[in-house]
Amino acid sequence: MELDSLYQEVILDHYKKPHHKGLPAGEIQVHHVNPNCGDEITLSLEIKDGVFVDLTWDGVGCSISQASASIMGDLVSGKTVAQAAEVLREFTELMQSKGNILGNEEVLEDAIALAGVSKFPARVKCALLGWMAFKDAAIQNGAEI
Ligand code: ZN
């Protein structure tokens, strides 16, 4: 898999120093796995006054899955349900584009670094794993996302 080197650096940065990683014991809300690659993400979050707060996750797996979860944590923490829903929609659309769209950098920020993954169908599930865990946890917390 060949990705732009600048983008590769962003991904490796998040992989080596993941943001929002580390779950308080007993607070795991969702656990998602990508058996094709062996990636696992557990995630916990809270919604206060319509805003996502206290999002934390833990996981193991490939650099794409772990970096994507780290980036997701940055992008949805502190956002309202509507704002996070927009980011989720844009990212999902980008991942399903098979490389045909570039993505909206204003909305996706560091997640733009994962755009190249959409050309590799086998890796799209890696990139989406943390986001699907987030969506699941959001719904379990009563968000319409
Ligand atoms: Zn993976």
Side-chain angles (χ1 to χ4, degrees):
M1 188 164 78
E2 296 267 328
L3 295 177
D4 182 284
S5 61
L6 174 72
Y7 283 174
Q8 228 160 32
E9 216 165 285
V10 173
I11 293 167
L12 277 178
D13 249 27
H14 277 278
Y15 179 55
K16 286 183 191 153
K17 285 179 243 144
H19 304 172
H20 307 278
K21 191 171 179 184
L23 283 170
E27 295 210 0
I28 295 166
Q29 292 177 337
V30 298
H31 178 70
H32 282 220
V33 297
N34 173 21
N36 295 336
C37 185
D39 309 318
E40 296 188 31
I41 300 277
T42 51
L43 188 143
S44 166
L45 61 76
E46 200 184 323
I47 300 172
K48 242 183 221 154
D49 302 324
V51 172
F52 288 105
V53 294
D54 294 334
L55 183 151
T56 50
W57 64 277
D58 206 348
V60 292
C62 70
S63 58
I64 300 288
S65 67
Q66 304 301 298
S68 189
S70 171
I71 292 168
M72 175 276 300
D74 281 351
L75 284 176
V76 302
S77 290
K79 295 251 168 72
T80 65
V81 172
Q83 287 167 334
E86 189 193 358
V87 179
L88 178 67
R89 184 167 35 78
E90 292 261 0
F91 186 71
T92 308
E93 196 179 296
L94 178 63
M95 284 303 107
Q96 292 169 346
S97 74
K98 300 184 170 72
N100 290 322
I101 60 172
L102 296 171
N104 182 346
E105 192 163 4
E106 263 172 51
V107 175
L108 292 175
E109 300 176 29
D110 273 3
I112 284 288
L114 293 156
V117 174
S118 71
K119 287 181 250 172
F120 303 88
R123 308 307 301 279
V124 167
K125 278 189 184 158
C126 302
L128 282 174
L129 185 66
W131 297 72
M132 292 301 106
F134 163 70
K135 185 180 182 181
D136 189 10
I139 290 167
Q140 287 190 31
N141 279 271
E144 287 178 27
I145 197 162

